[in-house]
Amino acid sequence: MATPQHQASDQSPVPGNPYGAAGEYGQTQAPWNQGPVPGGWGAPAAASHAPRHCRACGGQYAEDFKVRSHMGILIMMKFEHLNGPFCRDCGIAVVRQMTTRALVLGWWGPLSLVIFNPFTLIWNLLGYRKFSKLPPSTPAPGRTHLDTGPAVLRRPQAYVTLIPIAWAVWIISQALTHSS
Ligand SMILES: [Zn+2]
């Protein structure tokens, strides 16, 4: 029963991030986070001196990272996030879920298209890189990793993104042909 002497490093989320004062745990409803999950999921990992275990499975090597998603339709925007810490597998699972969601829902408003969704995608890519550098960890007894599922680009929904890209290319090419 040795308590690991793990000091939570003071890794504050980006200063001045546009999401500002984000809420506490559990505000975001991710598709896989429905219904009660046994074993402390969603319990705030309150004490900052606590060793960092995966929130989802209790695995030992976990990175504290806020995974984001974005939804933007006309002027309506919704910023979603899930706070870590997550272990390698659960982190990758959450990044894939949230990123796919952003690829489907995040393009449909002007600011979302130009600013917020690209930011969300880059942010999650950084998260993906962090999580994939972690060593694999074993879930706590009686718990399992979240299902990583297929890679984002192997999910058909991700290709909804081609619509705004095609549209943007068309707009730019129109602008170029008409300006000459
Ligand atoms: Zn985990």
Side-chain angles (χ1 to χ4, degrees):
M1 286 284 261
T3 348
Q5 300 285 317
H6 192 277
Q7 290 286 344
S9 68
D10 187 24
Q11 203 176 33
S12 60
V14 245
N17 81 72
Y19 296 107
E24 262 308 308
Y25 293 130
Q27 279 202 339
T28 307
Q29 192 78 353
W32 42 269
N33 191 18
Q34 280 158 2
V37 177
W41 169 273
S48 60
H49 60 263
R52 219 175 257 170
H53 287 288
C54 175
R55 251 184 95 190
C57 73
Q60 196 164 11
Y61 309 106
E63 179 79 53
D64 200 1
F65 188 87
K66 184 184 286 190
V67 184
R68 297 183 185 280
S69 189
H70 179 73
M71 185 168 133
I73 296 166
L74 299 177
I75 56 165
M76 196 209 74
M77 289 193 279
K78 194 171 159 201
F79 301 94
E80 301 172 321
H81 68 264
L82 278 174
N83 287 308
F86 295 112
C87 71
R88 179 191 161 99
D89 281 25
C90 299
I92 290 175
V94 174
V95 166
R96 285 178 175 170
Q97 279 279 0
M98 298 287 270
T99 304
T100 307
R101 194 172 154 77
L103 287 173
V104 176
L105 299 172
W107 300 114
W108 313 106
L111 287 177
S112 302
L113 173 71
V114 179
I115 302 172
F116 294 116
N117 215 32
F119 169 83
T120 304
L121 298 176
I122 293 167
W123 178 269
N124 282 359
L125 186 65
L126 296 178
Y128 184 86
R129 293 179 60 177
K130 270 179 188 258
F131 289 126
S132 39
K133 279 181 193 154
L134 287 173
S137 53
T138 320
R143 297 167 73 176
T144 50
H145 293 303
L146 298 174
D147 181 13
T148 48
V152 170
L153 293 182
R154 292 182 180 254
R155 300 179 187 211
Q157 315 93 290
Y159 291 91
V160 168
T161 294
L162 294 176
I163 298 168
I165 290 177
W167 178 79
V169 168
W170 184 78
I171 293 283
I172 292 167
S173 63
Q174 288 294 304
L176 291 178
T177 33
H178 289 293
S179 65
S180 59

